[in-house]
Structures are given as structure tokens and as C-alpha cells.
Amino acid sequence: MMRSLLLLLSLAFQASSFGLQAPLLTSRTNRAPALFSESPATSESETSDAAAAVELPPKVDPKEAVKVFGRLAEKYIMLDASAGMCCYSACSDCEFRLPDGGYRMADQSAARPKWIPNYERRSANGKEHTTKWRSQLFAQGPALSEDAFCQALQALDYAPTLGGPFVAAKAGAEMADDRAARVFYQVLTNGKNVLTRNQMSVRIKQLSDGEEGMTWNSFERAMGLK
């Protein structure tokens, strides 16, 4: 009898022990998914990336960019002033010849506006050229704020250009917005607060790939269109 009672007590104690451990195991098991489901670092990173993407300025429409180019580009450009002294007679020792045998041209002309010259005014061999941007964009003074630049640029006449997407004169007369103008202003100022005539000359020279003015290819690249 006593042995049976001891056996029953032993079984009851073991059952009680298992009963206490089960909740602990269950509790630990229940907490595990919560640990795996939490990922604050990833969520924060994704949120930051999304915010950065939203803050990026929208890409300029090439047809709006060409409206800027077509207001500043010209059909005529003066190149190496000294080249105007060449007689163009294929002299073997001519200082005005290029290494490949070609000539350094004094000036060039195109059927449609092609260049934004990197100089304000240039004269040589009886010719003189004052650039459109020097005489019209800076008509009111030697420096422009961003807003003044956009207003002055909008007021310039537009003409279809040699290079870039074709936009007819009538369609290019009005700019949809000033986004392209502001992007080009930032390109020219390169972080400075105002744009001066001298700064514009220097900056265009830097962006012209060693040429005397910006063509559509160099303009397009400066505007981040390719």
C-alpha cells in the first residue's frame, strides 16, 4: 500500500514538473518569430533610399533643353584669330596648319545655330563678333541671379538648332517651365551664387571639349542628358 502511494506521488511530481516546463518551452518558442520578424535596420535603409530617390531632381526633357540651347547658340563663331593670316596655299612649313595637314580656320558658319561661343567679344583681321549671350543675356549688367538668368533667357529669340531634337521655331518660342534653364544655370555657376560674364566664358570653355564653343554634344553632356 505504502509502495503504491509513493509511486503515485512520484508520478504526480513528474507530471507537475513537465507541466511547469511546457509553458517555458512554449514561451521561448513564441518569442522566436518576433525576433526574426524585426528588421529595423533594413526598413530604415529602404526608407532612406526611397526618400533620396524622391529628392533627386527630375531629368530634363531634351526638347526643353534644346529650347535653352537654341536661345544661346549662333550660326557664326570666330576660331583661332591668328589663322586668318594663312594664305591657304598648302605651304609645307605653314604655322597655321594642323598636324594632319588640315587648316586652322579663322571662323566658321553654319546653316542653323550650332555654337555657344566661349568668348564675349572677339576681333581679328577686320572682323568682329560679339556673342548673343554677351549682348542680350547680360544686357542689364555683368552678373545674373538664377531668377534673372531664367527671365532673360526666356526673353531671347529661339531658332531650331544644328544638333539635338528638332523643335520648330513656333514650338520653341515658349518654354514649358524653367527647369532646363535652372539646370543650365547651375552648370554654369558650378556652385557659386551668381553668374558673371567672365564666369560664363570660362565655364563654357571648360565644357567645350577643347573647342571654341559648346555644340549640342557638349551641351547635352553638361546637362546630364547622356
Side-chain angles (χ1 to χ4, degrees), residues 24-206:
L24 291 175
L25 291 173
T26 302
S27 176
R28 290 170 187 168
T29 304
N30 289 340
R31 284 200 302 267
L35 293 174
F36 286 110
S37 65
E38 294 176 2
S39 53
T42 303
S43 177
E44 183 179 350
S45 175
E46 290 173 353
T47 303
S48 176
D49 291 344
V54 171
E55 292 170 3
L56 289 175
K59 190 173 183 179
V60 175
D61 183 345
K63 288 192 174 182
E64 288 301 309
V66 84
K67 291 178 185 179
V68 173
F69 186 70
R71 281 170 162 75
L72 298 171
E74 305 189 43
K75 296 180 181 180
Y76 176 80
I77 189 170
M78 292 189 73
L79 303 174
D80 187 344
S82 65
M85 300 172 64
C86 181
C87 66
Y88 301 104
S89 298
C91 304
S92 59
D93 59 347
C94 178
E95 62 180 300
F96 305 115
R97 298 285 294 278
L98 297 171
D100 63 0
Y103 291 99
R104 280 162 39 196
M105 304 300 293
D107 54 10
Q108 282 188 326
S109 296
R112 291 188 300 195
K114 181 180 178 180
W115 305 276
I116 303 177
N118 62 27
Y119 54 86
E120 296 184 46
R121 181 183 290 112
R122 186 171 283 179
S123 60
N125 309 307
K127 295 182 179 181
E128 182 173 306
H129 180 222
T130 300
T131 59
K132 182 179 180 180
W133 65 261
R134 165 64 174 82
S135 62
Q136 298 183 38
L137 190 65
F138 287 90
Q140 301 303 317
L144 291 169
S145 66
E146 185 170 334
D147 288 340
F149 174 86
C150 293
Q151 293 172 7
L153 184 66
Q154 174 68 59
L156 298 183
D157 291 334
Y158 165 81
T161 62
L162 192 62
F166 179 77
V167 175
K170 184 176 181 179
E174 294 293 331
M175 300 171 70
D177 54 49
D178 59 5
R179 184 186 307 157
R182 292 186 183 279
V183 170
F184 191 49
Y185 181 86
Q186 295 299 325
V187 168
L188 293 173
T189 55
N190 200 24
K192 295 182 171 58
N193 294 327
V194 296
L195 178 66
T196 65
R197 291 197 306 254
N198 180 68
Q199 184 182 348
M200 183 161 178
S201 176
V202 170
R203 190 68 175 132
I204 291 176
K205 186 175 293 186
Q206 292 172 345

